[in-house]
């Protein structure tokens, strides 16, 4: 299984609050910061870097593969978004362990077909399956799209469908406005992706 379990107990102790029994009473803000730090460390260890890459640093920049840097960047973006979201308090240590065990993967659309009113994105499911493994190992999946240019009169509804052609199924929708320019539009696509991983089908 492609998971890395971080030592949660060690983290609680490192919080400087004493014994293990105090873990559950640790200040939530601190737990949240530690989560973020733990995920950062995971990414950094994958990059085999002692610290976050700094684009200003000249010299060893070429050593970091672009796709890893891009993964690092999107993780950072997602964490920043999560920081501004209202955090739901975590209830059990089990949940925290599951949280730390997650590893992030990023997949680009392999092909897109844009028409006046639609944009079809294709993903290589074999590639995703190869990285993620069994559908049961998938905890969540998000479709993220960067809103680049906006010429929306007032607001516009973006509808997300999955599957191909006549079999396409409605999944979710969002309202977008010009204010969302350069922001990420994201959809939870865990269920469709889990289904695709489960039923070996052609890439879509
Ligand atoms: C995904 O696309 C971006 C931008 O086109 C590119 O920089 C990156 O290397 C791609 N990543 C993968 C894993 O193909
Ligand atoms: C990662 O982000 C830095 C700045 O935050 C940017 O200069 C760099 O081009 C990004 N790299 C990728 C692969 O997205
Ligand atoms: C893009 O979609 C249009 C309309 O469905 C179709 O006619 C066209 O062949 C597609 N192009 C590609 C490259 O798939
Ligand atoms: C999808 O990914 C698999 C495994 O990485 C690769 O062998 C195959 O050529 C890819 N297919 C397409 C259409 O890109």
């Amino acid at each position: 299984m492609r998971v890395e379990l971080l030592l949660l107990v060690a983290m609680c102790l490192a919080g400087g609050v004493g014994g293990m029994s105090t873990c559950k009473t640790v200040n939530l803000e601190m737990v949240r910061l530690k989560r973020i730090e733990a995920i950062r460390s995971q990414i950094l260890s994958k990059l085999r870097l002692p610290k976050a890459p700094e684009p200003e640093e000249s010299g060893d920049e070429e050593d970091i593969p672009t796709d890893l840097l891009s993964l690092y960047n999107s993780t950072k973006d997602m964490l920043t978004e999560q920081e501004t979201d209202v955090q739901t308090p975590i209830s059990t240590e089990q949940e925290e362990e599951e949280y730390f065990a997650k590893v992030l993967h990023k997949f680009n659309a392999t092909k897109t077909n844009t028409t006046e009113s639609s944009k079809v994105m294709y993903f290589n499911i074999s590639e995703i399956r190869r990285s993620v493994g069994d559908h049961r190992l998938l905890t969540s999946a998000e479709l993220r799209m960067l809103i680049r240019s906006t010429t929306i009169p007032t607001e516009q509804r973006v509808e997300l469908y999955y599957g191909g052609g006549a079999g396409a199924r409605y999944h979710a929708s969002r309202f977008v406005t010009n204010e969302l320019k350069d922001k990420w539009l994201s959809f939870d696509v865990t269920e469709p992706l889990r289904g695709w991983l489960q039923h070996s089908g052609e890439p879509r």
Side-chain angles (χ1 to χ4, degrees):
M1 236 169 44
R2 205 173 293 269
V3 291
E4 288 170 18
L5 213 57
L6 292 185
L7 274 180
L8 186 72
V9 172
M11 298 207 51
C12 285
L13 293 174
V17 285
M20 278 163 65
S21 58
T22 57
C23 278
K24 279 179 189 140
T25 61
V26 166
N27 176 328
L28 283 178
E29 175 65 10
M30 205 166 75
V31 171
R32 194 180 61 79
L33 292 175
K34 287 196 180 302
R35 280 179 164 185
I36 291 172
E37 194 45 51
I39 293 177
R40 262 184 201 144
S41 312
Q42 284 191 335
I43 299 292
L44 288 177
S45 76
K46 287 193 190 314
L47 288 163
R48 295 195 181 76
L49 288 176
K51 61 183 182 64
E54 282 164 27
E56 308 84 50
E57 265 178 32
S58 57
D60 56 359
E61 225 173 295
E62 275 93 288
D63 295 338
I64 308 162
T66 318
D67 55 341
L68 284 184
L69 193 54
S70 148
L71 176 63
Y72 177 83
N73 280 0
S74 32
T75 308
K76 216 172 57 175
D77 289 348
M78 282 172 67
L79 289 170
T80 312
E81 277 171 33
Q82 281 171 17
E83 275 176 69
T84 54
D85 281 355
V86 180
Q87 289 289 306
T88 42
I90 15 94
S91 49
T92 65
E93 289 182 22
Q94 163 98 22
E95 271 175 52
E96 287 191 23
E97 263 174 43
E98 281 169 8
Y99 185 94
F100 284 122
K102 285 177 198 167
V103 173
L104 199 77
H105 297 277
K106 181 186 171 187
F107 304 95
N108 286 343
T110 52
K111 189 178 107 177
T112 56
N113 185 357
T114 308
T115 66
E116 207 178 312
S117 62
S118 77
K119 187 175 191 80
V120 183
M121 286 169 281
Y122 296 85
F123 290 90
N124 186 338
I125 298 299
S126 342
E127 185 196 339
I128 298 179
R129 189 181 291 114
R130 211 180 51 173
S131 301
V132 175
D134 190 88
H135 68 274
R136 280 163 299 202
L137 293 177
L138 179 74
T139 44
S140 70
E142 210 178 320
L143 176 69
R144 291 167 66 78
M145 291 171 276
L146 185 62
I147 300 173
R148 282 229 174 97
S149 62
T150 47
T151 48
I152 303 168
T154 48
E155 66 172 14
Q156 203 161 7
R157 199 161 101 116
V158 175
E159 295 184 342
L160 179 68
Y161 292 80
Y162 66 94
R169 299 179 77 164
Y170 171 77
H171 185 59
S173 69
R174 292 271 188 293
F175 283 99
V176 292
T177 62
N178 290 332
E179 271 145 47
L180 292 174
K181 184 168 163 16
D182 295 327
K183 297 248 181 349
W184 289 94
L185 181 64
S186 63
F187 290 95
D188 183 325
V189 291
T190 313
E191 284 318 311
L193 182 59
R194 193 170 282 149
W196 288 350
L197 290 176
Q198 194 167 0
H199 311 290
S200 49
E202 74 283 7
R204 48 196 121 183

